[in-house]
Structures are given as structure tokens and as C-alpha cells.
Amino acid sequence: MTDTAAPDVRTHCPYCALQCGMSLGGDDRGPGGPLRITPREDVRTNRGGLCQKGWTAAEMLTVPDRLTSPMMRATRDAPLRPCTWDQALDRITSEVTRLQGAYGPDAIAVFGGGGLTNEKAYQLGKFARVALRTSQIDYNGRFCMSSAAAATGRAFGMDRGLPGPITDLGRADAILLAGGNVAETMPPFMRHLTDAQEAGGALIVVDPRRTPTARQANLHLQPTPGTDLALANGLLYLAIEEGLLDEAYLAARTGGFEAVRTVVNGYWPDRVERVTGVPVPHMREAVRLLARGERSYILTGRGAEQHARGTDMVTAFINLALALGLPGRPGSGYGCLTGQGNGQGGREHGQKADQLPGYRRIDDPAARAHVAAVWGVHPDDLPGVGRSAYELLEALGTPEGPKAMLLFGSNPVVSAPRASAVEERLDALDFLAVADFVPSETARRADVVLPAAQWAEESGTMTNLEGRVQRRNRAVLPPEGVRTDLEILAVLADRLHAPGTWSDEPAEVFEELREASAGGLADYAGISYRRIDAEGGVFWPCPSEDHPGTPRPFLERFATPDGRARFTPVEHSGPAEDVDPEYPVYLTTGRVLAQYQSGAQTRRVGPLVEAAPEAFVEVHPDLAERLGIADGDGVRVASRRGTATVRARLTDAIRHDTVFIPFHWGGEARANLLTNPALDPMSRMPEFKVCAVRLEPVLPESAPDVPIDARIEEGASA
Ligand SMILES: Nc1nc2c(c(=O)[nH]1)N[C@H]1C(S)=C(S)[C@@H](COP(=O)(O)OP(=O)(O)OC[C@H]3O[C@@H](n4cnc5c(=O)[nH]c(N)nc54)[C@H](O)[C@@H]3O)O[C@H]1N2
Ligand SMILES: Nc1nc2c(c(=O)[nH]1)N[C@H]1C(S)=C(S)[C@@H](COP(=O)(O)OP(=O)(O)OC[C@H]3O[C@@H](n4cnc5c(=O)[nH]c(N)nc54)[C@H](O)[C@@H]3O)O[C@H]1N2
Ligand code: SF4
Ligand SMILES: [Mo]
């Protein structure tokens, strides 16, 4: 498949949804050989730019503790030891057979990830439904895009991250970005925002912290975490008061505005200032900027979405966008910033508990019939809706819950809310198998660990944050002993005597995915590898080979039954857990530039560890003074779920009432020891972005004189 003397391979970054284009070259492109990364100018999302994670991505291929052999433990208490592939696969097959024999098909859970290629995400969903016949599958995208997906589905009838090519942003008159810190989470994205600003457009950032992104903004609104819904309703109140609504658009293209008008009547400016902390003149300015031109955007990131009312929070922003007449017009609209490398495609092809490929619903009889026919099974043999990610993790090893789990592409010990409870559930399982490149915190708790091929060692497709399907191309062979996820799934399906065909060739799996998605919302039927190469990617929906693809959906009509966008009235109710005398400070969580997600990958890359070596808590100096905390002190941060120990970083860029901890580190420094698993009723998104905590300095006499992170590494491998 690979010619190591071949010219540079054109592919994309392994990490985030911007999927920056890069070429991989080098004189010795054998397994483990050095790879030279060159950013691609022809890919318009990054236009020759990369962030530090992209530049250093090749180091992940050769990290010292890269998994190159399957590992297995004899009993739950025994250590993991290298074994053969046959032993590992035999063990998985026998555990699955034994547990399903005793408890039925739902005894086995599957957990996937938004970093998997479309082919792998599709195959994993099919594997769960056809080879395991389990309903118990969900994935980490539930923690990521689910609120925006639910809200856009409700309003527009379809969820596709951005409303058009990213380059459209550069011509915007105004962009309001709520809860996104793209200067750190997708640095080359900033180029499109500054393009707009250089052409006279305004950037408005809504964030409780004055982030690098907020510093770049023309206007920064700095609300208390969890109050975005009140803010958006307040902005709509002002838009109505100032006569800025697009009445013709409301009449022609939307339904349900009157109910929203009634509700936002209760969001007069002074009240909203009291709730959010955002001064009225700032709100007024924001609305005027947004309404002054034809081409404006309202974008949300995780800050506005990861809430127990996340779907309604996003809905409030969509209502504002609709009232101003933005969605469904070229060069304007509402968009959400998809996060993971294949966060968009990963939510379309069946990893979600309620979903079949092509963004179909698993409880829709027509969808079941279509997909069952492609899979060569009877529709009645497909399971129904399963549990959402956190509910699934919470049920593991309980009398009603799954007894075993197979996990591909996530590290929930670090990334799931209320992580200590998740660890307990994982340990209560009869059997856990994890496929990964590295011994992540979750893999270390498994009974069987399978070494998987990564990024530059495999091919497939990824759908970026624009909805553009692109190719990932293999540049090197995986190390000896390592297999691709598709190979693993194919051989397991075979051992489990699954009906249907189970190719391990990405191109063949993609052909099947095209068929399975045909006629669905996310229709890939007209997309081929050849077209992706020839056209620089293809935007879905693309129902046939002669269809050009759909860079800007909704220009003619929305994907709702009547073609109109739907308003839904929503009311502010505050965070699921508010501050009180015992836990008087808001905690919010998020990301830093040099680390990615649970850190399983980036905490192993030298330059990234140097740039961001350990977890910290951002504290305003006034709050720190009240609590007797100095910059650099060890701090114990406690919530009703647990306690984390991190180092204090004093900064006046954060509100007085709020502290911030990035979630990239394991052990005692885990932000998710603290977070609240209160779930959104529609999206089942946990409330990662706000809970109540208390801070106290770790007394110098009790503080060990090793760096906080060193203690964590010892603890984790003990
Ligand atoms: N460096 C880096 N880049 C990444 C990732 C990574 O881990 N590291 N992960 C990728 C993934 S999967 C994702 S989902 C994206 C996420 O990308 P972003 O959404 O940009 O990232 P976050 O840091 O989670 O949250 C953004 C901001 O929300 C703010 N915030 C917190 N609470 C609130 C609130 O209540 N309201 C508002 N309006 N803002 C709030 C935080 O202060 C933070 O600055 O990044 C992707 N890119
Ligand atoms: N407190 C707090 N918690 C959060 C968030 C937050 O903002 N605050 N954000 C949430 C969000 S938006 C997200 S997306 C999640 C992400 O959290 P996780 O799901 O834990 O994400 P990763 O760290 O990317 O984990 C991916 C794991 O799978 C491995 N892996 C990557 N690609 C592949 C592959 O192709 N095949 C296989 N077999 N393995 C692979 C990696 O090495 C890594 O161990 O975290 C969520 N958790
Ligand atoms: S912005 Fe995202 S895709 Fe681009 S180089 Fe950085 S991590 Fe990779
Ligand atoms: Mo994410």
C-alpha cells in the first residue's frame, strides 16, 4: 500500500476539527522513521498555518511508551502483560460470548470517539448493532457537540457545524463568538476572524475569561458562567426594542417567533445585567454591531454548550440569529465550532445511541429498513436506542447495566464528568477492552489492551468543521505488532460469526458507508475518494455523483418538514448547582493551546509538555488574596464530587467569582474530579462548564516538594 520512496503524502492534522492540511515527507519514511511536516497552502482552512500541536504531530508516532503489542491481565488484580494477538482476540471473544450468554446482548457496551475516521465510526456502529447486537453504544461526542446538534436539529432540521465554508467568515460584517477560545483551540481559525476585522467587520467574544481570543475582539462580554441563555434573550430584547428585526425574513422563512417575543419580554436590560454581570451598554453595542450589516454570524463553542441546559442555551443564540435574519443566507448564519478531528463525521454515521448511518434515527422504521438491507440483516434484528455516554458509564457493572465494554478512541477516566465515579464503574466491570496507541489512564484499567494504528499510519476520511469530507492518507506503515481499528473490528466480527461483510480496507468500508447514508440527512452517496481528491474535499449532503455537494445548506429552505426554521422559546434557570456558603466559587473548565483533550497524546510530546507541563487553576488576584493563595501555590479545589490539587495561577483575566481549570491532566490534577454530571434533558450533555467549588491553599508544611504532576504520574502507574 505504501511506497516509502514516494513523494510527500497530502493529509490532515490528527487533532482538532479544523483538520489543517499538511504534507508528510522525509527521506526514510519507514515505520518509526522521521516524518517532515509541511503545512499545505492549498487547504483554505489553515492556508499554510499550523498550531504547535500540528507541527509536533509526528512525535506521537514514536513516543517511548507507544503500544506495539497487545496486553492482557489474567485476573482483574493481575498486571497487564504482553500477549499475542490471538490470545487477546480469543479472550475478547470468549468474554463477549460468556457474558452475552448469561445476560443477553446488552451486556456488552461499546464506547467510541470523534477522532475516529468516518470509516471506523461507521464500522464501530455496525459492529455494535450487527456483531454484538447491543443497543449500548455511545461516544465522547456526547460530551462535545451534542447540545449544538440537538439545538440545530430542532431549529433547522439538520445539524451541520458551520453554515458554509470557513472562508466566508472573512467577509463578515460582525461575528459574535460565544464560549469559544479559538486562539488556543484552533489557532489558524483566527486568520479568518482577523480577515473580517481587517475588512471593517467586528468580532464580539462572550467568555467569562479575557482569553487570547477575547483580547483580539472589538468587544468582549464577560458573563458569569452558565448565564448565556439570559444574555442571548437580553440581546434579542434589545434587538426588538431597537427595531432591528428582519420582519420580511421572519414571515417568509421562520415559524414560532411570537412565542419567543413573549418570553424575551421578561429579559429587560437591567435584569439581564444583574443575572449575567454584563453591562447594558455592552449588550446594546453587541446588538447594534450584529445588526448593522447583512452578513453576520453567531457562533458557539463549548463554553455556551456544555451545560445542563446546553440545548436551550444554543437555542437562545439561534433565536437571536433568526430574529436578525441571518441563517440561510450566503455569508451569514448560526454555526457551532465542531471540536474533534472527525467530530462532525463522527456524529453522523452511527456511534450515537439513537442513531444509524447518514444521521438517521434508530427508532425510525424506514431508516432501520434501509440500513438493515445494506448490512444484510433483518430490521427486527437491529437493537433500539441505548444509553447516552454518561448514563452508559454510570450503568457499567450495575445489576441492570452492561458487564463489559469495548472502547475505541476515548479516555473517560480523565475526560468524563465526576471522574472518580467513572473509575469505580470501570473497575466494577467483568471485562474491559481498550484499543489505543498509548497506555492512557483508561487503557491502564483494561483487561485487554489492543495497540492501534494512528493517523499517519492509516487511511480514511474525516469530515471537518465546515462539513467538508476530506481524506486522511497513510504515509508510513504502522510499527510491527500494531493493527488498524478496521482490522481489529473485521477480525472480531469474524470470530463472533457476524452476518454481512467486514472489510478492513477503508476504501471498501467507505463504499458501504455511501450506500448506508444514501437518502439520510448526512447523505454521502455522491462522495467518492476520487472526487475528494479532485475537488479538494466535498461538502455533504451530496446525494449523487453528479451533485456538486452542499457548501451552504438552507439557502432555499431549511431541512424541516415545512422548510421553515423553528423558533423555540427558552427561559434562563441558572446552573444546575449554584454557589452557596460552603462552595462559594464558580468553576469552569476548558483547554490550553499546547494540550489536547485528556492529554493522552499531547502529554507524551516533549515540546508540548514543555509549553504546558501541568494543570493549574486561574484565580483572580482579589479572590486569591481573600483566600490566602499566592501565585504558584498548590491549591486544593473541592466540589461536592471530589477534590483536585493544582497550582494557582493568578490573573486578572478571569472574573472575581469564577476559577478555571484545564481538563488535560490525569491523577489528582483532574478537573473532572470536580465537575457536575447534571445532564441536559435533550442532548444528555453534562454540565462541564459550571459547578460550585471551594479553594484552599495546600499548607507549605504538608506540601511535598515534588512537582504536582510528578506525584500524579507515580499515583497513576502504581
Ligand atoms: N489546544 C486544544 N485545542 C482543541 C482541543 C484541545 O483539547 N486542546 N480540543 C478540541 C475539541 S474536541 C473541542 S470541543 C474544541 C473546544 O474549543 P472551545 O470551545 O474554544 O474550548 P473550551 O476551552 O472548552 O471553551 C471555550 C471557552 O469557553 C469559556 N466558558 C466557560 N464557561 C462559559 C460559559 O458559561 N459561557 C461562555 N460563553 N463561555 C464559557 C471558557 O472560558 C473558554 O475560554 O477545541 C478543539 N481544539
Ligand atoms: N471538564 C471538562 N471535561 C471535558 C471537556 C471540557 O471542556 N471540560 N470537554 C469534553 C469534550 S468537548 C471532549 S471532545 C472530550 C474528549 O475527551 P476524550 O474522549 O478522552 O478524548 P481524547 O483525549 O482525545 O481521547 C482519545 C483517546 O483515544 C486514543 N485515540 C485517538 N484516536 C484514536 C483512534 O483513531 N483509534 C483508537 N483506537 N484510539 C484513538 C487517544 O490516544 C486517547 O487515548 O472531553 C470532554 N471532557
Ligand atoms: S489547529 Fe487543529 S488541525 Fe490545525 S494544526 Fe492545530 S490541532 Fe491541528
Ligand atoms: Mo470536543
Side-chain angles (χ1 to χ4, degrees), residues 435-525:
D436 207 313
F437 335 129
V438 289
S440 73
E441 285 79 356
T442 308
R444 285 188 220 170
R445 299 185 107 85
D447 302 283
V448 169
V449 179
L450 302 174
Q454 54 169 301
W455 166 60
E457 301 160 353
E458 63 168 14
S459 300
T461 59
M462 309 277 280
T463 305
N464 79 353
L465 79 174
E466 307 168 284
R468 192 196 303 252
V469 185
Q470 307 185 130
R471 281 187 71 184
R472 163 182 282 193
N473 288 308
R474 177 184 267 186
V476 291
L477 291 172
E480 180 100 21
V482 166
R483 297 192 184 176
T484 68
D485 293 308
L486 285 182
E487 287 167 344
I488 295 169
L489 291 172
V491 59
L492 280 175
D494 186 49
R495 281 169 185 251
L496 292 165
H497 310 294
T501 50
W502 297 87
S503 174
D504 57 13
E505 277 299 323
E508 288 173 12
V509 177
F510 190 76
E511 289 306 306
E512 194 185 303
L513 180 161
R514 290 174 66 181
E515 242 184 280
S517 76
L521 275 175
D523 193 333
Y524 282 41

Side-chain angles (χ1 to χ4, degrees), residues 144 302 339-340 591 597:
C144 184
R302 296 312 79 73
Q340 298 182 85
R591 294 161 165 82
Q597 312 277 62

Side-chain angles (χ1 to χ4, degrees), residues 661-680:
I661 307 180
F663 79 102
H664 310 294
W665 285 271
E668 284 178 56
R670 264 176 300 171
N672 279 322
L673 292 171
L674 307 168
T675 46
N676 184 0
L679 300 182
D680 181 284

Side-chain angles (χ1 to χ4, degrees), residues 627-629 634-638 643 694-699:
L627 299 170
I629 292 169
V635 178
R636 258 194 293 273
V637 185
T643 304
R694 165 176 80 221
L695 281 73
E696 55 187 48
V698 177
L699 297 176

Side-chain angles (χ1 to χ4, degrees), residues 212-571:
T213 315
R215 287 175 212 275
Q216 185 68 45
N218 304 78
L219 178 63
H220 175 206
L221 313 183
Q222 202 170 357
T224 305
T227 63
D228 293 73
L229 197 162
L231 179 67
N233 277 359
L235 296 178
L236 182 48
Y237 179 103
L238 288 171
I240 295 171
E241 186 185 84
E242 302 210 356
L244 300 173
L245 301 195
D246 188 336
E247 302 285 356
Y249 171 96
L250 286 177
R253 303 216 48 192
T254 71
F257 179 61
E258 285 315 313
V260 169
R261 188 200 292 274
T262 308
V263 161
V264 301
N265 244 329
Y267 291 78
W268 61 91
D270 290 337
R271 176 187 171 210
V272 174
E273 175 172 326
R274 271 199 309 281
V275 172
T276 63
V278 176
V280 175
H282 285 184
M283 291 190 252
R284 238 178 243 289
E285 192 186 343
V287 167
R288 288 180 185 157
L289 286 172
L290 269 178
R292 71 178 176 173
E294 292 265 291
R295 292 166 313 197
S296 293
Y297 286 89
I298 296 179
L299 306 177
T300 59
R302 296 312 79 73
E305 300 167 12
Q306 289 171 324
H307 295 275
R309 296 282 313 285
T311 305
D312 285 349
M313 292 220 178
V314 174
T315 298
F317 284 109
I318 293 176
N319 287 342
L320 176 63
L322 287 171
L324 297 173
L326 307 178
R329 289 183 161 163
S332 74
Y334 164 79
C336 78
L337 302 176
T338 296
Q340 298 182 85
N342 195 30
Q344 178 74 57
R347 65 188 196 261
E348 298 163 3
H349 298 299
Q351 296 187 82
K352 225 172 163 180
D354 53 0
Q355 197 193 59
L356 289 173
Y359 233 132
R360 291 183 154 93
R361 296 187 53 96
I362 201 166
D363 56 7
D364 167 6
R368 294 170 67 87
H370 173 85
V371 174
V374 175
W375 288 349
V377 296
H378 193 277
D380 293 347
D381 292 339
L382 295 178
V385 178
R387 292 179 170 91
S388 76
Y390 186 74
E391 290 163 297
L392 180 60
L393 295 172
E394 208 180 20
L396 297 177
T398 63
E400 313 75 41
K403 306 292 182 269
M405 184 160 78
L406 313 183
L407 182 142
F408 290 76
S410 182
N411 185 13
V413 166
V414 176
S415 59
R418 198 181 176 207
S420 55
V422 169
E423 286 178 292
E424 279 171 29
R425 294 332 311 156
L426 291 172
D427 292 347
L429 285 171
D430 285 350
F431 181 71
L432 175 65
V434 173
D436 207 313
F437 335 129
V438 289
S440 73
E441 285 79 356
T442 308
R444 285 188 220 170
R445 299 185 107 85
D447 302 283
V448 169
V449 179
L450 302 174
Q454 54 169 301
W455 166 60
E457 301 160 353
E458 63 168 14
S459 300
T461 59
M462 309 277 280
T463 305
N464 79 353
L465 79 174
E466 307 168 284
R468 192 196 303 252
V469 185
Q470 307 185 130
R471 281 187 71 184
R472 163 182 282 193
N473 288 308
R474 177 184 267 186
V476 291
L477 291 172
E480 180 100 21
V482 166
R483 297 192 184 176
T484 68
D485 293 308
L486 285 182
E487 287 167 344
I488 295 169
L489 291 172
V491 59
L492 280 175
D494 186 49
R495 281 169 185 251
L496 292 165
H497 310 294
T501 50
W502 297 87
S503 174
D504 57 13
E505 277 299 323
E508 288 173 12
V509 177
F510 190 76
E511 289 306 306
E512 194 185 303
L513 180 161
R514 290 174 66 181
E515 242 184 280
S517 76
L521 275 175
D523 193 333
Y524 282 41
I527 305 177
S528 63
Y529 280 12
R530 188 192 50 73
R531 274 191 72 179
I532 295 173
D533 289 342
E535 299 169 28
V538 181
F539 288 85
W540 71 261
C542 180
S544 60
E545 292 258 8
D546 56 8
H547 187 284
T550 314
R552 299 177 188 85
F554 315 141
L555 292 184
E556 310 292 323
R557 65 193 308 279
F558 293 96
T560 52
D562 64 1
R564 288 165 177 269
R566 281 186 294 251
F567 279 99
T568 305
V570 289
E571 291 271 15

Side-chain angles (χ1 to χ4, degrees), residues 181 185 207 209 226 228 302 588 591-593 595 597 689:
N181 178 18
T185 54
D207 196 305
R209 303 186 301 138
D228 293 73
R302 296 312 79 73
T588 191
R591 294 161 165 82
V592 300
L593 173 61
Q595 294 291 343
Q597 312 277 62
K689 285 296 191 266

